[in-house]
């Protein structure tokens, strides 16, 4: 290992200490450029991890309790396989002495090839947001969408991601005086190079890399980290038979509903899936980590902000607005993302669409205005507030640092040890990004023009989406890099396009995907580059892994989604599926409802001067004022350090996933996050440091593989167990309206 001493670093004008303590004690300050990176093992395990995670995550995406399997599972699982390949594969050198010389086994399994394997896995650790368009058009709007335009949309959304991350995350090389090169180095200067932009989630992986590659002897009477991972994996795998098949009630254990099985009020209070979730808890890892990710990976201050935000929304705002009958709230369920008529019945969306897949204004006028639950309207308002809060918060709390970094972008500036070590590697050539730019823009324009009848998005809409994404990448990137929480652009993109181009639902969906996801996934690529920065991975190798991994992942995502659509009857159609179906696709249904609100009917008819919910726009002002209040408090009482921990963008955006996330997802997540991030971290720090992230990875992996096994062996053959323990939670009246004279299904009439 090429050790770098503190004296040598200081002599070179390098800051040896990192400004963030967690980074300083976690990330290694050494590098060995001779370690092989692009090995046979890396390709085999990297591509395999990418394919498996892409399939599993797309499979889970349609589940009623979707579970995102992070790359940590693959990061841990490939270690024994990598060491086995290092021992068993021949070390013979092929074409020795020629320019094509290579070997399948260059030596021991090393940490750098392990990092690239994880980068491949990151490509499959989620889903392609554009899959929502496929689902909405084919399954919910009941329109024809062929494979080719679907594939083009999904690949081009990822292509914008590659362009954005590449142009803004170059880790080495100096910016020249030209505008283009300055632009290419812009986000690198702000979101990757500064030590204050520490990307907390990356420390999970850095800690695991060090733990898995440091030589560790099994303590007497104890286990190594790898052994402990296998124990957690087996326990999680075995246990998930209960909530996943035998006792579905464990998904949402809402005992309060049992006290008054005929009371709408009690079930509204106690239901974890359709109500306020008082006392409700999930004994199911997929419930806990479905929407907010693993609580074991969240910093405690961020968890506390999420908990406070959830409490205010669920137990203050929602009860107040509902029982005061704000926006006729009692005509509808207390918690719902569905679209309603004024009499509480579900809105027939298909009836207001004409033959050109546009809004029929005449039919809409005859059918009547669309209504949403007050809870749904409030969550949209909080989305508005989060957006303005993000801009104001970054300006107030990070403005000086941003200005100083901007002034120093073209001058000499003291760099930290990690940036100094990365200067040994060649940067990514600019022309690589230009190729991606040209090919991607050509593909997007072709898709939009050739398939204009189904995609509906004009060429200027693509360019506008890119401008929106570029504008918000910096402020949202700062929030993500410091809190591990990412405010979304989905609402603002819908809002803009709904005003400019109403009546076209697919155009709105495409605009949201190109505007929102090109920013969000661009930040994911930035996080990957920061991980490479920490682990000293050559930028060109990192670029290659991201591009190849992205293409492979998209192909697997599309094929998996197409297979599930053809295999599962009535997939995602909640009007035809039973209440206890595991295939109700909550994320896709929310996406569909949003496309109706913003795209088909349009912003003006819902939240504008022609709509009933125009007052929700005041949330923009609320979001702008909230960080200002915190900033004034901080300046007035600088000795009160806890004030700085009030993070308004995270607090206001805490319930951004509601709906489809429900109360039980939050209550369970907060409990585990408190036990891990506060109790164990504070009182058992060594135990937390050694096992916290290993437990998270084991729970993810075990739950995922058992869910797949249950589906392949039992679910696909429709083999079920019918008994009271498989009743989801026993709160059927929680979704009932409480206004006088409203008649809905089996609900009591007041």
């Amino acid at each position: 290992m090429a050790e770098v001493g503190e004296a040598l670093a200081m002599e070179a004008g390098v800051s040896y200490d990192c400004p963030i303590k967690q980074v300083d004690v976690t990330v290694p300050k050494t590098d060995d450029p001779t370690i092989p990176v692009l090995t046979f093992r890396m390709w085999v395990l990297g591509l395999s991890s990418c394919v498996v995670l892409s399939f599993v995550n797309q499979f889970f995406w349609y589940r009623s309790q979707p579970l995102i399997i992070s790359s940590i599972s693959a990061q841990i699982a490939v270690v024994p396989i990598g060491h086995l390949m290092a021992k068993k594969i021949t070390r013979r050198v092929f074409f020795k002495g020629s320019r094509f010389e290579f070997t399948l086994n260059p030596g021991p399994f090393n940490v750098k090839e392990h990092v690239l394997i994880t980068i491949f896995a990151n490509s499959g650790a989620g889903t392609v947001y554009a899959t929502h368009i496929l689902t909405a058009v084919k399954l919910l709007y009941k329109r024809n969408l062929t494979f080719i335009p679907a594939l083009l949309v999904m690949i081009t959304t990822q292509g914008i991601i590659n362009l954005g991350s590449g142009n803004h995350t170059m880790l080495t090389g100096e910016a020249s005086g030209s505008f283009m090169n300055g632009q290419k180095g812009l986000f690198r200067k702000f979101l990757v190079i500064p030590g204050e932009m520490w990307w907390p989630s990356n420390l999970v992986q850095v800690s695991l890399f060090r733990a898995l590659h440091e030589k560790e002897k099994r303590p007497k009477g104890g286990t190594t980290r790898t052994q402990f991972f296998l124990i957690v994996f087996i326990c999680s795998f075995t246990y998930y038979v209960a909530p996943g098949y035998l006792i579905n009630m464990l998904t949402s254990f809402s005992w309060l509903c049992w006290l008054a099985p005929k009371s709408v009020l009690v079930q509204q209070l106690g239901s974890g899936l359709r109500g306020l979730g008082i006392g409700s808890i999930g004994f199911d890892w997929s419930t806990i980590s479905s929407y907010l990710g693993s609580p074991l990976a969240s910093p405690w201050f961020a968890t506390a902000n999420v908990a406070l935000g959830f409490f205010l929304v669920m137990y203050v705002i929602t009860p107040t607005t509902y029982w005061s009958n704000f926006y006729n709230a009692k005509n509808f369920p207390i918690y719902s993302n569905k679209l309603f008529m004024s009499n509480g019945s579900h809105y027939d969306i298909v009836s207001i669409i004409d033959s050109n897949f546009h809004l029929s204004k005449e039919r809409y006028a005859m059918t009547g205005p669309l209504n949403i639950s007050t809870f749904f309207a409030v969550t949209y308002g909080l989305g508005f507030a989060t957006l303005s809060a993000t801009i104001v918060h970054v300006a107030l709390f990070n403005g000086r640092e941003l200005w100083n970094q901007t002034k120093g972008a073209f001058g000499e500036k003291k760099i930290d040890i990690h940036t100094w070590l990365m200067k040994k590697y060649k940067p990514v050539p600019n022309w690589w990004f230009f190729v991606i730019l040209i090919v991607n823009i050509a593909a997007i324009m072709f898709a939009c023009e050739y398939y204009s009848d189904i995609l509906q998005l004009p060429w200027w809409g693509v360019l506008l989406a890119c401008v929106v994404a570029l504008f918000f990448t910096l402020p949202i990137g700062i929030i993500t890099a410091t809190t591990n929480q990412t405010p979304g652009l989905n609402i603002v993109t819908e809002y803009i396009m709904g005003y400019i181009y109403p009546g076209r639902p697919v155009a709105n969906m495409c605009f949201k995907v190109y505007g929102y996801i090109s920013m969000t996934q661009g930040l994911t690529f930035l996080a990957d580059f920061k991980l490479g920065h920490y682990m000293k991975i050559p930028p060109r190798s990192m670029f290659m892994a991201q591009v190849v991994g992205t293409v492979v992942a998209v192909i697997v995502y599309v094929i998996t989604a197409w297979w599930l659509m053809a295999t599962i009857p009535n997939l995602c159609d909640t009007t035809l599926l039973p209440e206890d179906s595991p295939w109700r696709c909550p994320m896709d249904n929310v996406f569909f409802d949003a496309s109706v609100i913003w795209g088909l009917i349009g912003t003006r008819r819902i939240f504008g001067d022609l709509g009933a919910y125009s007052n929700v726009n005041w949330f923009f002002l609320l979001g702008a004022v909230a960080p200002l209040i915190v900033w004034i408090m901080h300046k007035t009482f600088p000795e009160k350090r806890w004030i700085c921990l009030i993070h308004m963008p995270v607090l206001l955006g805490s319930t951004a996933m509601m709906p489809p996330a429900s109360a039980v997802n939050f209550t369970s997540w907060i409990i585990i996050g408190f036990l891990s991030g506060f109790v164990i971290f504070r009182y058992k720090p060594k135990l937390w440091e050694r096992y916290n992230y290993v437990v998270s990875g084991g729970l993810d992996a075990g739950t995922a593989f058992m869910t797949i096994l249950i589906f392949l062996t039992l679910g696909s053959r429709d083999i079920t167990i019918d008994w009271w323990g498989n009743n989801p939670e026993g709160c059927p009246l929680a979704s009932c309206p409480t206004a006088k004279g409203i008649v809905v299904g089996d609900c009591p009439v007041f």
Side-chain angles (χ1 to χ4, degrees):
M1 178 68 68
E3 300 290 343
V4 178
E6 182 174 0
L8 182 60
M10 295 298 292
E11 183 180 342
V14 176
S15 176
Y16 192 76
D17 295 324
C18 300
I20 304 298
K21 182 179 179 181
Q22 292 93 326
V23 175
D24 197 52
V25 300
T26 303
V27 180
K29 300 175 182 178
T30 58
D31 181 35
D32 183 358
T34 64
I35 293 178
V37 179
L38 300 178
T39 65
F40 174 73
R41 291 187 297 260
M42 186 280 297
W43 284 107
V44 172
L45 297 179
L47 288 172
S48 299
S49 300
C50 179
V51 170
V52 170
L53 282 184
S54 300
F55 170 77
V56 170
N57 279 313
Q58 186 58 54
F59 178 89
F60 272 110
W61 193 251
Y62 288 126
R63 303 279 293 183
S64 298
Q65 291 293 338
L67 176 65
I68 298 298
I69 307 301
S70 70
S71 58
I72 293 177
S73 301
Q75 180 181 355
I76 298 174
V78 299
V79 172
I81 303 175
H83 287 301
L84 180 64
M85 294 177 73
K87 289 182 179 179
K88 298 299 183 181
I89 294 179
T90 178
R91 295 194 178 186
R92 175 186 172 188
V93 177
F94 297 90
F95 304 109
K96 190 172 183 179
S98 71
R99 59 183 299 186
F100 302 107
E101 177 179 320
F102 73 95
T103 177
L104 299 178
N105 189 356
F109 183 59
N110 67 74
V111 66
K112 290 197 176 185
E113 55 184 332
H114 193 187
V115 172
L116 278 190
I117 292 170
T118 305
I119 296 302
F120 269 105
N122 279 344
S123 299
T127 186
V128 177
Y129 199 74
T131 308
H132 285 315
I133 299 178
L134 278 66
T135 306
V137 174
K138 285 181 64 68
L139 302 180
L140 302 175
Y141 279 115
K142 311 293 184 182
R143 296 281 172 158
N144 182 45
L145 177 62
T146 58
F147 185 82
I148 297 301
L151 181 63
L152 281 174
V153 168
M154 295 182 74
I155 287 181
T156 52
T157 56
Q158 303 304 99
I160 284 184
I161 294 163
N162 281 329
L163 173 64
S165 64
N167 279 344
H168 306 304
T169 57
M170 294 184 62
L171 295 177
T172 58
E174 299 298 328
S176 70
S178 70
F179 172 78
M180 287 303 295
N181 281 336
Q183 180 69 26
K184 290 176 187 300
L186 177 61
F187 289 158
R188 174 182 67 89
K189 288 285 184 182
F190 293 131
L191 297 176
V192 176
I193 296 301
E196 293 80 6
M197 300 296 111
W198 58 295
W199 299 87
S201 61
N202 278 337
L203 297 189
V204 178
Q205 295 184 323
V206 172
S207 299
L208 281 177
F209 283 130
R210 299 193 69 180
L212 295 171
H213 287 272
E214 290 176 355
K215 291 185 178 180
E216 182 183 17
K217 186 177 181 180
R218 183 173 68 87
K220 187 176 182 179
T223 62
T224 64
R225 287 178 174 86
T226 302
Q227 290 171 333
F228 190 76
F229 168 78
L230 293 175
I231 292 172
V232 175
F233 171 81
I234 293 171
C235 291
S236 175
F237 180 82
T238 305
Y239 171 78
Y240 192 70
V241 174
Y245 185 73
L246 298 176
I247 315 174
N248 294 157
M249 188 176 289
L250 295 175
T251 294
S252 179
F253 194 75
S254 303
W255 57 271
L256 194 63
C257 296
W258 305 348
L259 302 181
K262 295 184 179 180
S263 170
V264 174
L265 174 61
V266 172
Q267 295 196 22
Q268 285 178 328
L269 295 175
S271 173
L273 296 178
R274 302 179 184 87
L276 302 184
I278 297 176
S280 181
I281 188 172
F283 298 97
D284 174 359
W285 184 247
S286 67
T287 297
I288 295 169
S289 60
S290 287
Y291 297 98
L292 298 172
S294 172
L296 304 180
S298 176
W300 166 241
F301 88 93
T303 302
N305 276 278
V306 171
L308 179 59
F310 169 75
F311 177 84
L312 292 175
V313 171
M314 213 63 184
Y315 302 128
V316 177
I317 297 177
T318 298
T320 301
T321 55
Y322 186 81
W323 279 295
S324 63
N325 204 30
F326 199 68
Y327 285 136
N328 296 318
K330 292 184 179 181
N331 288 19
F332 318 111
I334 190 171
Y335 167 89
S336 176
N337 65 296
K338 298 300 180 184
L339 310 177
F340 300 97
M341 305 278 287
S342 58
N343 62 3
S345 61
H346 287 284
Y347 206 98
D348 185 3
I349 301 302
V350 177
S351 68
I352 61 173
I353 303 175
D354 64 19
S355 58
N356 295 320
F357 206 174
H358 297 166
L359 173 69
S360 173
K361 296 179 181 179
E362 295 77 13
R363 295 179 194 170
Y364 181 70
M366 293 174 57
T367 306
L370 181 143
N371 296 267
I372 58 179
S373 70
T374 305
F375 174 83
F376 202 14
V378 168
T379 59
Y380 273 129
L382 289 170
F384 301 162
T386 302
L387 189 69
S388 55
T390 297
I391 298 172
V392 175
H393 176 92
V394 170
L396 293 175
F397 288 92
N398 303 97
R400 179 174 297 179
E401 291 83 354
L402 291 175
W403 176 244
N404 291 337
Q405 291 168 22
T406 301
K407 290 193 298 183
F410 299 100
E412 293 294 329
K413 186 178 180 181
K414 193 173 183 179
I415 60 177
D416 69 5
I417 183 64
H418 304 296
T419 303
W420 185 58
L421 290 172
M422 287 298 294
K423 291 172 72 71
K424 299 176 183 177
Y425 300 103
K426 292 181 179 180
V428 180
N430 290 341
W431 68 266
W432 291 11
F433 303 122
F434 290 134
V435 170
I436 293 178
L437 171 63
I438 294 171
V439 172
N440 198 65
I441 289 181
I444 294 173
M445 295 305 176
F446 170 78
C448 289
E449 294 299 322
Y450 191 80
Y451 298 103
S452 58
D453 57 329
I454 190 66
L455 298 183
Q456 301 180 337
L457 185 66
W459 62 269
W460 55 262
V462 175
L463 299 180
L464 179 60
C466 294
V467 170
V468 171
L470 180 64
F471 177 79
F472 284 102
T473 295
L474 181 58
I476 292 179
I478 290 173
I479 302 297
T480 305
T482 55
T483 70
N484 208 40
Q485 300 292 324
T486 305
L489 280 180
N490 53 325
I491 292 178
V492 71
T493 51
E494 294 167 327
Y495 195 102
I496 292 172
M497 201 60 175
Y499 253 119
I500 298 175
Y501 210 50
R504 298 166 178 83
V506 184
N508 194 279
M509 289 188 283
C510 290
F511 183 82
K512 176 167 68 170
V513 168
Y514 285 120
Y516 167 46
I517 290 303
S518 61
M519 182 278 300
T520 301
Q521 296 289 23
L523 292 179
T524 301
F525 270 49
L526 279 163
D528 284 348
F529 267 105
K530 187 69 174 185
L531 178 62
H533 193 68
Y534 284 151
M535 301 305 297
K536 319 303 179 292
I537 306 300
R540 295 188 179 195
S541 299
M542 179 68 72
F543 176 87
M544 175 277 305
Q546 288 179 318
V547 172
V548 175
T550 298
V551 173
V552 171
V554 167
I555 294 173
V556 176
Y557 283 132
V558 175
I559 293 175
T560 304
W562 220 259
W563 168 64
L564 290 172
M565 290 178 186
T567 303
I568 301 174
N570 303 320
L571 177 66
C572 301
D573 193 339
T574 56
T575 61
L576 300 176
L577 289 170
E579 284 292 324
D580 59 349
S581 171
W583 300 105
R584 296 177 66 83
C585 314
M587 302 290 285
D588 292 282
N589 274 282
V590 170
F591 188 90
F592 167 74
D593 293 340
S595 74
V596 173
I597 294 171
W598 303 103
L600 182 63
I601 296 176
T603 306
R604 285 191 65 193
R605 292 185 177 89
I606 303 293
F607 294 103
D609 56 329
L610 302 179
Y613 302 95
S614 58
N615 287 332
V616 175
N617 289 291
W618 286 104
F619 276 90
F620 281 114
L621 179 61
L622 170 66
V625 171
L628 180 61
I629 295 174
V630 176
W631 184 78
I632 293 173
M633 291 173 58
H634 167 60
K635 294 298 181 182
T636 306
F637 307 102
E639 71 281 0
K640 305 293 185 181
R641 296 186 177 181
W642 61 268
I643 295 178
C644 286
L645 299 179
I646 301 176
H647 204 290
M648 278 300 171
V650 174
L651 193 152
L652 293 172
S654 60
T655 55
M657 296 302 295
M658 298 181 73
S662 54
V664 69
N665 299 113
F666 278 78
T667 55
S668 306
W669 187 89
I670 291 168
I671 290 171
I672 299 300
F674 170 74
L675 294 175
S676 168
F678 182 79
V679 177
I680 300 178
F681 181 79
R682 169 171 289 192
Y683 298 107
K684 297 288 184 181
K686 293 296 182 183
L687 182 68
W688 185 93
E689 180 181 344
R690 182 174 178 82
Y691 293 122
N692 182 70
Y693 301 128
V694 176
V695 170
S696 179
L699 290 171
D700 279 351
T703 301
F705 289 117
M706 177 52 75
T707 301
I708 297 295
L709 181 63
I710 290 174
F711 172 75
L712 294 177
T713 58
L714 300 170
S716 62
R717 302 179 183 182
D718 203 23
I719 301 174
T720 60
I721 299 177
D722 186 13
W723 73 298
W724 67 268
N726 275 339
N727 183 330
E729 63 170 357
C731 305
L733 301 182
S735 297
C736 290
T738 57
K740 293 182 179 180
I742 298 295
V743 180
V744 175
D746 297 328
C747 293
V749 180
F750 292 88

